[in-house]
Amino acid sequence: MKVLVTGTEGYIGCRLAPYLAARGHDVVGLDTGYYRDGWMYSEPARTPVLPKTLMKDLRSVTPRDFEGFDAVVHLAELSNDPLGENNPAVTYEINHRGSVLIASQAKAAGVRRFVYASSCSVYGLGSGEFLSEESPTNPQTAYAKCKVMVERDVAPLADENFCVAFLRNATAYGPSPRMRFDIVLNDLCARAWTTRKIAMTSDGTPWRPVVHVEDICQAILRCLEAPAPTVNGQIFNVGQTSENYRIKELADIVASVFPECEVSVGPSSSDNRSYRVSFDKIATRLPGFKCEWNARKGAEELRRLFERIEFSTETYEFRAFTRLKQLRFLQRTGQIDDHFLWKY
Ligand SMILES: NC(=O)c1ccc[n+]([C@@H]2O[C@H](COP(=O)([O-])OP(=O)(O)OC[C@H]3O[C@@H](n4cnc5c(N)ncnc54)[C@H](O)[C@@H]3O)[C@@H](O)[C@H]2O)c1
């Protein structure tokens, strides 16, 4: 398939493009390049060829950008809660209106399949029960509200010529050259390595499902390759039910992989997002899908990477590996305007 992936310069996209290429797909990227300064490591075996990438803001796409593509995987957004709260108006512009524009322009150009990276953060605040794709959403932030709105507004575009699948990803972890330390397991491991401390930012009680970045790539691949009627119009939570943890449990896993560390909890009110998610649907209804990772294996993999690349505090704190720091830097230094468009 000829696949256009938006967000190829991001954490997931940078892993997804070579993953799809290695399985015989022809991948082209689209990205505006907010995080272009950040490249944490190279691994030739994993990143054989970087895709040709159209440097463009997704808010200005037209059907011409999608001509000749069989499928679009849409990842490019302001991709987490703190970033969304930093400027909710721009978050709605990019994440909601921009994503609906991508889907409608792709459909107008004759693209036949569309995979959207949604998020389990749409569940927001649960009371401990397992939430499924049928459960009511309860988004707490501009970022999560946009995910719900995109699902609502893109679903009606699905028909026999335009197959649409929504993947509600759990919180990702694992290595990527475009690394992120604003996601819980990556952050706990990086702190453990650089400070010998595992300091939780919450009291450790919130539930959070986590999933390896490569398992997200696998889910996307399966959605691209599945018979259209099995995925068209469907929402899938992406992860596995056994990978729901309280933050404290994740900290304990990290402590066992980085045993020389001290564990401490944060204030009880600092993070009220908590949700526990059922991943039974993807395990039974997305042909061939099976997660290959778990949090412990992921923490061990990160430890091996940190050893190999002599991971340092300087790298951990580098702005381009923490989304909010990087966007604030681009704003402060006048490189992007009030709408987060490049000035030069
Ligand atoms: N990483 C996670 O834990 C996670 C979990 C659930 C869902 N998701 C979703 O998966 C998708 C990818 O996540 P990620 O972690 O790779 O994000 P990321 O922030 O690392 O990458 C997003 C990419 O999109 C690009 N982008 C942002 N705005 C753009 C615009 N206006 N025009 C063109 N490009 C633009 C950025 O430059 C960046 O390279 C996102 O939609 C995110 O919400 C991620």
Side-chain angles (χ1 to χ4, degrees), residues 32 52 63 113 148 238 253 257 320:
T32 193
K52 191 176 102 190
R113 203 165 280 218
V148 173
V238 179
I253 290 172
V257 175

Side-chain angles (χ1 to χ4, degrees), residues 9-12 31-32 58 75 79 118 143 147 172 180 323:
E9 294 212 339
Y11 172 68
I12 298 172
D31 202 296
T32 193
L58 64 87
L75 305 173
S79 304
S118 186
Y143 166 76
K147 292 292 189 199
R180 302 289 176 251
R323 285 166 272 222

Side-chain angles (χ1 to χ4, degrees), residues 161-235:
N161 297 315
F162 190 62
C163 170
V164 178
F166 302 100
L167 295 177
R168 288 183 181 164
N169 299 293
T171 300
Y173 62 85
S176 165
R178 303 274 185 202
M179 197 54 177
R180 302 289 176 251
F181 294 116
D182 46 21
I183 34 186
V184 61
L185 191 58
N186 289 0
D187 187 45
L188 291 174
C189 290
R191 280 177 202 229
W193 178 262
T194 56
T195 66
R196 304 276 173 261
K197 291 196 173 102
I198 301 173
M200 285 167 264
T201 52
S202 70
D203 66 359
T205 57
W207 285 101
R208 195 76 88 257
V210 294
V211 65
H212 195 282
V213 58
E214 207 167 76
D215 287 329
I216 294 179
C217 294
Q218 188 204 146
I220 292 169
L221 174 81
R222 305 279 183 199
C223 279
L224 290 172
E225 295 184 345
T230 59
V231 296
N232 198 5
Q234 296 294 320
I235 295 173

Side-chain angles (χ1 to χ4, degrees), residues 57-209:
D57 193 287
L58 64 87
R59 287 166 285 183
S60 56
V61 295
T62 67
R64 284 196 61 175
D65 294 316
F66 302 98
E67 273 168 17
F69 287 98
D70 302 301
V72 170
V73 178
H74 178 39
L75 305 173
E77 280 187 6
L78 299 178
S79 304
N80 67 14
D81 290 314
L83 195 52
E85 294 307 295
N86 174 46
N87 190 331
V90 177
T91 303
Y92 284 100
E93 262 180 37
I94 295 177
N95 293 18
H96 174 227
R97 288 197 290 283
S99 294
V100 176
L101 180 73
I102 293 252
S104 60
Q105 304 297 281
K107 182 173 179 177
V111 170
R112 296 186 66 83
R113 203 165 280 218
F114 184 81
V115 179
Y116 176 64
S118 186
S119 165
C120 284
S121 65
V122 299
Y123 299 117
L125 253 187
S127 49
E129 75 282 18
F130 283 99
L131 299 162
S132 78
E133 293 81 353
E134 310 287 310
S135 304
T137 55
N138 188 7
Q140 300 292 303
T141 61
Y143 166 76
K145 286 176 188 158
C146 285
K147 292 292 189 199
V148 173
M149 290 158 76
V150 175
E151 290 182 3
R152 178 198 69 194
D153 295 344
V154 172
L157 299 178
D159 60 26
E160 66 280 9
N161 297 315
F162 190 62
C163 170
V164 178
F166 302 100
L167 295 177
R168 288 183 181 164
N169 299 293
T171 300
Y173 62 85
S176 165
R178 303 274 185 202
M179 197 54 177
R180 302 289 176 251
F181 294 116
D182 46 21
I183 34 186
V184 61
L185 191 58
N186 289 0
D187 187 45
L188 291 174
C189 290
R191 280 177 202 229
W193 178 262
T194 56
T195 66
R196 304 276 173 261
K197 291 196 173 102
I198 301 173
M200 285 167 264
T201 52
S202 70
D203 66 359
T205 57
W207 285 101
R208 195 76 88 257

